[in-house]
Amino acid sequence: MKRISIIALLLVGLFTQNNAQTADEIINSYFETIGGKAKLEAVNGTKMKAKMNQGGMEIPIEVINFKDGRQMISFTLQGKTIKEEVFDGEVLWGTNFLTQKPEKSTEEETENFKKNIDFPDPFLNYKEKGYEVELIGKEEFETVECYKIKLTKNPIVIDGEEVKVFEYHFFDTESFVIMGSEAEITSGSMKGKISITKLSDYQEVEGIYFPFSITSGIKDLGEQTL
């Protein structure tokens, strides 16, 4: 009887192992759900328009991204258009809020940006970019059971020291769409805090499903929905 029990346990273990989802299987299912990897690879650029409510004031926002890494985030505040995180292919720019003029980011900030360009999706061809993925397990995110996958990106340099960069993404165990992500902030006044992004209301645009509701902020400190 003891031998039969051991064999039974081994068979159960093999069955569970063979039917367990791997990180790559989950990612591939995610791509299939939102339209297919081939369609994502064919995207050359995207434009997103949204509105953010800040203290009762509605602020229009526009985000433009291109396959080669060029991007721009602009928003209109009190009649003035402010551009942030503008990458022209060589240099990362922002706006000086005192002078209202374009201002170059530091060389370190520009190089860090170039190391982790994620258009149109951080998981698309992640191996070619030098990224790694790891399935952590299952965890609830916004009351939904999800697969939690750790995405380790290319290390960046902050104040001359190399810093590891990683994010946790939460994939719905039923639909496989990404429900959101969390990442540790590596610099600035919020260093060490956890940034959180929540995604919902996926809608189809030219054969690809994108989240039409994006909530972001600092965990336990406040969030903003676009």
Side-chain angles (χ1 to χ4, degrees), residues 50-61 77 223-226:
K51 292 180 180 179
M52 178 176 68
N53 189 289
Q54 187 69 38
M57 182 169 55
E58 202 171 67
I59 303 173
I61 296 175
L77 185 63
E223 300 173 346
Q224 181 66 57
T225 300
L226 300 179

mmCIF file of all heavy atoms in Angstrom, residues 50-61 77 223-226:
data_model
loop_
_atom_site.group_PDB
_atom_site.id
_atom_site.type_symbol
_atom_site.label_atom_id
_atom_site.label_comp_id
_atom_site.label_asym_id
_atom_site.label_seq_id
_atom_site.Cartn_x
_atom_site.Cartn_y
_atom_site.Cartn_z
ATOM 1 N N ALA A 50 -6.783 61.658 -23.423
ATOM 2 C CA ALA A 50 -7.507 61.377 -22.196
ATOM 3 C C ALA A 50 -7.756 62.675 -21.438
ATOM 4 O O ALA A 50 -7.257 63.742 -21.822
ATOM 5 C CB ALA A 50 -6.702 60.401 -21.325
ATOM 6 N N LYS A 51 -8.523 62.569 -20.358
ATOM 7 C CA LYS A 51 -8.782 63.720 -19.500
ATOM 8 C C LYS A 51 -8.566 63.312 -18.045
ATOM 9 O O LYS A 51 -8.980 62.234 -17.640
ATOM 10 C CB LYS A 51 -10.211 64.242 -19.699
ATOM 11 C CG LYS A 51 -10.444 64.860 -21.067
ATOM 12 C CD LYS A 51 -11.866 65.358 -21.233
ATOM 13 C CE LYS A 51 -12.073 65.975 -22.609
ATOM 14 N NZ LYS A 51 -13.472 66.447 -22.801
ATOM 15 N N MET A 52 -7.915 64.182 -17.301
ATOM 16 C CA MET A 52 -7.630 63.927 -15.896
ATOM 17 C C MET A 52 -8.329 64.993 -15.054
ATOM 18 O O MET A 52 -8.283 66.179 -15.380
ATOM 19 C CB MET A 52 -6.122 63.956 -15.648
ATOM 20 C CG MET A 52 -5.726 63.753 -14.198
ATOM 21 S SD MET A 52 -3.916 63.686 -13.989
ATOM 22 C CE MET A 52 -3.479 65.395 -14.396
ATOM 23 N N ASN A 53 -8.983 64.551 -13.981
ATOM 24 C CA ASN A 53 -9.657 65.496 -13.093
ATOM 25 C C ASN A 53 -8.738 65.821 -11.925
ATOM 26 O O ASN A 53 -8.343 64.947 -11.174
ATOM 27 C CB ASN A 53 -10.975 64.903 -12.591
ATOM 28 C CG ASN A 53 -11.802 65.933 -11.843
ATOM 29 O OD1 ASN A 53 -11.462 66.325 -10.734
ATOM 30 N ND2 ASN A 53 -12.900 66.359 -12.454
ATOM 31 N N GLN A 54 -8.387 67.090 -11.801
ATOM 32 C CA GLN A 54 -7.486 67.529 -10.737
ATOM 33 C C GLN A 54 -8.144 68.659 -9.957
ATOM 34 O O GLN A 54 -8.246 69.774 -10.434
ATOM 35 C CB GLN A 54 -6.146 68.004 -11.325
ATOM 36 C CG GLN A 54 -5.079 68.319 -10.296
ATOM 37 C CD GLN A 54 -4.566 67.075 -9.594
ATOM 38 O OE1 GLN A 54 -4.417 66.029 -10.215
ATOM 39 N NE2 GLN A 54 -4.312 67.189 -8.314
ATOM 40 N N GLY A 55 -8.616 68.333 -8.755
ATOM 41 C CA GLY A 55 -9.250 69.350 -7.924
ATOM 42 C C GLY A 55 -10.474 69.974 -8.561
ATOM 43 O O GLY A 55 -10.705 71.174 -8.420
ATOM 44 N N GLY A 56 -11.244 69.152 -9.290
ATOM 45 C CA GLY A 56 -12.439 69.655 -9.956
ATOM 46 C C GLY A 56 -12.169 70.268 -11.319
ATOM 47 O O GLY A 56 -13.099 70.665 -12.021
ATOM 48 N N MET A 57 -10.886 70.338 -11.696
ATOM 49 C CA MET A 57 -10.521 70.908 -13.000
ATOM 50 C C MET A 57 -10.158 69.776 -13.965
ATOM 51 O O MET A 57 -9.371 68.890 -13.627
ATOM 52 C CB MET A 57 -9.332 71.858 -12.834
ATOM 53 C CG MET A 57 -8.898 72.532 -14.117
ATOM 54 S SD MET A 57 -7.707 73.871 -13.806
ATOM 55 C CE MET A 57 -6.436 73.000 -12.865
ATOM 56 N N GLU A 58 -10.732 69.801 -15.164
ATOM 57 C CA GLU A 58 -10.495 68.768 -16.163
ATOM 58 C C GLU A 58 -9.295 69.146 -17.018
ATOM 59 O O GLU A 58 -9.276 70.210 -17.636
ATOM 60 C CB GLU A 58 -11.731 68.588 -17.037
ATOM 61 C CG GLU A 58 -11.801 67.240 -17.720
ATOM 62 C CD GLU A 58 -13.149 67.013 -18.394
ATOM 63 O OE1 GLU A 58 -13.416 67.734 -19.376
ATOM 64 O OE2 GLU A 58 -13.909 66.152 -17.939
ATOM 65 N N ILE A 59 -8.285 68.277 -17.039
ATOM 66 C CA ILE A 59 -7.045 68.559 -17.757
ATOM 67 C C ILE A 59 -6.899 67.593 -18.942
ATOM 68 O O ILE A 59 -6.777 66.382 -18.748
ATOM 69 C CB ILE A 59 -5.825 68.410 -16.837
ATOM 70 C CG1 ILE A 59 -5.971 69.347 -15.623
ATOM 71 C CG2 ILE A 59 -4.534 68.705 -17.592
ATOM 72 C CD1 ILE A 59 -4.890 69.145 -14.578
ATOM 73 N N PRO A 60 -6.932 68.107 -20.193
ATOM 74 C CA PRO A 60 -6.737 67.245 -21.368
ATOM 75 C C PRO A 60 -5.273 66.776 -21.459
ATOM 76 O O PRO A 60 -4.349 67.556 -21.244
ATOM 77 C CB PRO A 60 -7.077 68.155 -22.552
ATOM 78 C CG PRO A 60 -7.726 69.363 -21.955
ATOM 79 C CD PRO A 60 -7.178 69.499 -20.569
ATOM 80 N N ILE A 61 -5.105 65.506 -21.790
ATOM 81 C CA ILE A 61 -3.769 64.917 -21.913
ATOM 82 C C ILE A 61 -3.661 64.181 -23.245
ATOM 83 O O ILE A 61 -4.620 63.533 -23.693
ATOM 84 C CB ILE A 61 -3.486 63.936 -20.767
ATOM 85 C CG1 ILE A 61 -3.480 64.673 -19.422
ATOM 86 C CG2 ILE A 61 -2.145 63.228 -20.951
ATOM 87 C CD1 ILE A 61 -3.326 63.752 -18.232
ATOM 88 N N LEU A 77 -2.916 73.169 -19.238
ATOM 89 C CA LEU A 77 -3.235 73.642 -17.902
ATOM 90 C C LEU A 77 -3.360 75.162 -17.915
ATOM 91 O O LEU A 77 -2.405 75.855 -18.283
ATOM 92 C CB LEU A 77 -2.142 73.203 -16.914
ATOM 93 C CG LEU A 77 -2.362 73.516 -15.440
ATOM 94 C CD1 LEU A 77 -3.601 72.784 -14.925
ATOM 95 C CD2 LEU A 77 -1.135 73.092 -14.623
ATOM 96 N N GLU A 223 -4.443 58.093 -6.000
ATOM 97 C CA GLU A 223 -4.482 57.627 -7.386
ATOM 98 C C GLU A 223 -5.232 58.623 -8.258
ATOM 99 O O GLU A 223 -5.993 59.453 -7.768
ATOM 100 C CB GLU A 223 -5.180 56.248 -7.454
ATOM 101 C CG GLU A 223 -4.497 55.163 -6.645
ATOM 102 C CD GLU A 223 -5.310 53.884 -6.604
ATOM 103 O OE1 GLU A 223 -6.497 53.926 -6.973
ATOM 104 O OE2 GLU A 223 -4.755 52.846 -6.202
ATOM 105 N N GLN A 224 -4.990 58.520 -9.561
ATOM 106 C CA GLN A 224 -5.648 59.389 -10.536
ATOM 107 C C GLN A 224 -6.064 58.546 -11.736
ATOM 108 O O GLN A 224 -5.262 57.762 -12.246
ATOM 109 C CB GLN A 224 -4.708 60.501 -10.982
ATOM 110 C CG GLN A 224 -5.316 61.470 -11.971
ATOM 111 C CD GLN A 224 -6.442 62.290 -11.381
ATOM 112 O OE1 GLN A 224 -6.262 62.977 -10.396
ATOM 113 N NE2 GLN A 224 -7.624 62.216 -11.976
ATOM 114 N N THR A 225 -7.299 58.693 -12.193
ATOM 115 C CA THR A 225 -7.813 57.903 -13.304
ATOM 116 C C THR A 225 -7.883 58.734 -14.577
ATOM 117 O O THR A 225 -8.340 59.875 -14.559
ATOM 118 C CB THR A 225 -9.213 57.344 -12.980
ATOM 119 O OG1 THR A 225 -9.124 56.506 -11.828
ATOM 120 C CG2 THR A 225 -9.758 56.512 -14.147
ATOM 121 N N LEU A 226 -7.429 58.122 -15.690
ATOM 122 C CA LEU A 226 -7.540 58.742 -17.011
ATOM 123 C C LEU A 226 -8.639 58.050 -17.800
ATOM 124 O O LEU A 226 -8.779 56.835 -17.701
ATOM 125 C CB LEU A 226 -6.210 58.623 -17.771
ATOM 126 C CG LEU A 226 -4.974 59.275 -17.141
ATOM 127 C CD1 LEU A 226 -3.772 59.028 -18.020
ATOM 128 C CD2 LEU A 226 -5.212 60.769 -16.951
#
